[in-house]
Amino acid sequence: MKKTIIITLLTLILSCQKSTTKIYFYPSEDIYKNSELEKINLDSTLLDFKYFTDNSGVFPYNEKRISVEFTNDFGIKKCLIPAKYDSGNYKKRNILVIKSDSIKIDDGYLISKLRYLLRRHFTNNGTNFKYSDSPEKAIVELNLNSGTNGKELKKILINLTDVFDEINSEIIDSLELNVFFDYDESYY
């Protein structure tokens, strides 16, 4: 009886301890904390990609904008602040365009090659003229159909951010993932 009470008390004490959730920020936690954001949870939104794109701010992150938030399969919360194109000029080589099922670079690749291409894009340092000049200039563009819903966007973003996190931890660097939203191939 005494053992049962002790085990029960220990179980209650351990279950009451507050569990911390890991949170990742894209492009960075500083930008997230210093921005005026409309936070949109992709798990519960009925909004479409056109809304997300039209309400993304321009780069750099100095105006009111949205943050899309979601949790991956491992319980890690991810907060991404997307940007959209402004009147600035961006070298095409610094932009890796991702469609829902493919990556538009060279002759095109299936999305299954994302890890290889993302790593190459962020670590190129100007070597190959088709990839970014430097990690600081590297941009990933999600170019999706304007009607893409939150659930579909979440699936794509989980894949992108999980792969990016793996690459970032492998090369032991503090890369920032700058994601631009664009729909219906309106920029590149």
Side-chain angles (χ1 to χ4, degrees):
M1 174 83 168
K2 200 175 192 181
K3 284 183 182 181
T4 306
I5 293 173
I6 292 173
I7 291 172
T8 305
L9 285 173
L10 283 174
T11 305
L12 284 173
I13 291 170
L14 292 175
S15 66
C16 290
Q17 289 181 347
K18 189 175 182 178
S19 64
T20 57
T21 302
K22 219 178 213 185
I23 303 174
Y24 288 19
F25 300 93
Y26 309 94
S28 73
E29 186 174 0
D30 286 340
I31 291 171
Y32 185 85
K33 287 183 176 179
N34 295 316
S35 298
E36 187 180 342
L37 300 170
E38 173 191 352
K39 298 175 183 176
I40 300 172
N41 185 336
L42 292 180
D43 292 316
S44 60
T45 187
L46 298 176
L47 300 171
D48 61 16
F49 192 68
K50 182 177 186 330
Y51 178 87
F52 301 136
T53 302
D54 292 347
N55 289 282
S56 297
V58 294
F59 183 80
Y61 305 90
N62 57 4
E63 60 186 35
K64 185 170 179 7
R65 58 185 348 117
I66 65 166
S67 167
V68 291
E69 303 184 357
F70 53 96
T71 304
N72 73 2
D73 298 337
F74 303 106
I76 298 171
K77 182 177 180 178
K78 301 198 173 200
C79 305
L80 183 135
I81 303 172
K84 65 180 174 185
Y85 291 106
D86 58 2
S87 59
N89 289 329
Y90 301 95
K91 286 185 182 177
K92 192 171 184 174
R93 71 182 286 171
N94 290 326
I95 302 170
L96 183 67
V97 180
I98 297 175
K99 304 290 278 175
S100 59
D101 62 351
S102 62
I103 303 166
K104 296 178 79 173
I105 195 162
D106 300 328
D107 295 324
Y109 291 90
L110 294 175
I111 199 71
S112 60
K113 297 292 184 185
L114 178 62
R115 188 177 203 303
Y116 166 76
L117 295 169
L118 199 60
R119 181 182 185 92
R120 190 171 189 184
H121 188 60
F122 275 93
T123 61
N124 183 52
N125 290 314
T127 307
N128 183 324
F129 72 94
K130 291 184 178 183
Y131 295 87
S132 69
D133 290 324
S134 69
E136 295 79 24
K137 293 181 180 179
I139 296 169
V140 174
E141 174 191 314
L142 280 186
N143 192 303
L144 305 174
N145 180 293
S146 60
T148 301
N149 65 37
K151 283 187 178 186
E152 293 172 46
L153 178 58
K154 176 185 173 182
K155 194 166 115 176
I156 293 165
L157 287 175
I158 284 175
N159 186 31
L160 172 62
T161 58
D162 285 354
V163 169
F164 175 81
D165 293 339
E166 287 175 23
I167 293 167
N168 205 7
S169 68
E170 286 172 7
I171 61 175
I172 309 170
D173 204 349
S174 55
L175 300 174
E176 290 187 356
L177 178 62
N178 288 299
V179 178
F180 280 40
F181 282 3
D182 201 16
Y183 53 84
D184 303 328
E185 300 186 40
S186 58
Y187 194 78
Y188 279 109

